[in-house]
Amino acid sequence: ALASVNNSHYTEIHVIEAIWQAVQRFGFDGGRVIEPSAGVGHFIGAMPGTLVERCRITAVEIDRIAGRLLRTLYGPHGVDVRVEAFEKVSLPESWFDLAIGNVPFGSYKAADASHRAYARFSIHNYFFGRALELVRPGGLVCFITSSHTMESQSDNVREYLASQAELLGAIRLPAGAFAGIASTEVQTDILFLRKRGRGEQTRSDWVRRSLVPEFMQHRQFPDRYPQINAWYAQQPQFCIGRIAYRS
């Protein structure tokens, strides 16, 4: 439990329900689903009833206590539960139709000694890289992640993700969105990606950052503003709240 305390952050059910609604609007109506950081299974428990009978679910959880609870709750109902690290579990590539969940955040890296292009990414970006390897062309990857995926100073991770997938949409959640259930103030985004097919061209307008537009700035903090991902600058309606720089 002590080893997993930094990432044992669970997700508000109304946020999960909204993500499932978005997934359905993007065309997902059933298939093979993987949740690579499943906790005790909130995403599985909140899956719409119309999808339950149409999905085969694989759930991965590194924490042994949460994993045993996950297996007890959902194993009897056909969920394939793997209690091990996502980077260690053996899974078929280009197999799943959907990867969904709330991934771990941090500046540390996964224990992956392979030569995969994403193997040295920070943990939250690692989950995107491996998930895109596991889903089929046209499949969806829908994760809650740190805002650093979209706004790290280096474009390297976003360039890699853009080479593999199309950004269908992103939502910037307000600070403290998970303070109630997870006791964390970390800034988060929900990203919806679709894995591209061979030879398919996708947009890369979300790779770069730009200055925060004036109308998105918080009036109480007028002196200094960070850059924001260009996607949000162009679609400000998906950024919930105003942007302020805090040391």
Side-chain angles (χ1 to χ4, degrees), residues 82-244:
R82 314 286 186 93
V83 185
E84 53 187 311
F86 185 43
E87 64 268 23
K88 303 295 184 184
V89 65
S90 178
L91 295 164
E93 296 181 7
S94 299
W95 174 257
F96 295 95
D97 301 292
L98 170 68
I100 193 169
N102 186 347
V103 301
F105 312 160
S107 58
Y108 65 95
K109 298 173 174 58
D112 186 336
S114 73
H115 296 290
R116 298 183 180 99
Y118 57 82
R120 306 314 297 161
F121 288 174
S122 295
I123 189 68
H124 42 282
N125 297 324
Y126 178 90
F127 269 66
F128 277 97
R130 182 147 201 236
L132 285 169
E133 192 173 72
L134 297 177
V135 300
R136 61 169 177 79
L140 301 176
V141 174
C142 305
F143 287 158
I144 299 171
T145 182
S146 162
S147 61
H148 289 292
T149 298
M150 291 289 272
E151 284 166 16
S152 60
Q153 292 186 359
S154 171
D155 297 334
N156 292 343
V157 168
R158 292 187 294 276
E159 287 175 348
Y160 175 79
L161 296 180
S163 74
Q164 303 296 311
E166 176 185 3
L167 179 69
L168 298 177
I171 299 172
R172 168 64 48 85
L173 297 178
F178 297 108
I181 194 170
S183 298
T184 179
E185 296 290 336
V186 67
Q187 185 77 64
T188 52
D189 290 334
I190 307 173
L191 303 187
F192 301 90
L193 303 177
R194 182 180 64 83
K195 184 175 179 177
R196 67 175 178 84
R198 186 181 299 274
E200 180 183 353
Q201 297 296 316
T202 59
R203 299 186 350 258
S204 59
D205 54 348
W206 57 283
V207 170
R208 310 300 175 200
R209 298 182 303 155
S210 67
L211 293 176
V212 178
E214 185 174 352
F215 66 88
M216 295 180 71
Q217 298 174 8
H218 197 298
R219 294 179 181 177
Q220 294 181 6
F221 302 91
D223 298 327
R224 188 176 179 189
Y225 293 96
Q227 291 185 320
I228 194 170
N229 188 278
W231 197 90
Y232 288 124
Q234 295 166 11
Q235 280 94 192
Q237 68 271 27
F238 293 105
C239 182
I240 303 175
R242 293 292 179 263
I243 305 300

Side-chain angles (χ1 to χ4, degrees), residues 1-10 37 39 61-63 102-108 123-124 127 182:
L2 181 61
S4 67
V5 70
N6 286 338
N7 285 309
S8 292
H9 294 158
Y10 293 85
S37 183
E61 173 53 42
I62 190 173
D63 182 78
N102 186 347
V103 301
F105 312 160
S107 58
Y108 65 95
I123 189 68
H124 42 282
F127 269 66

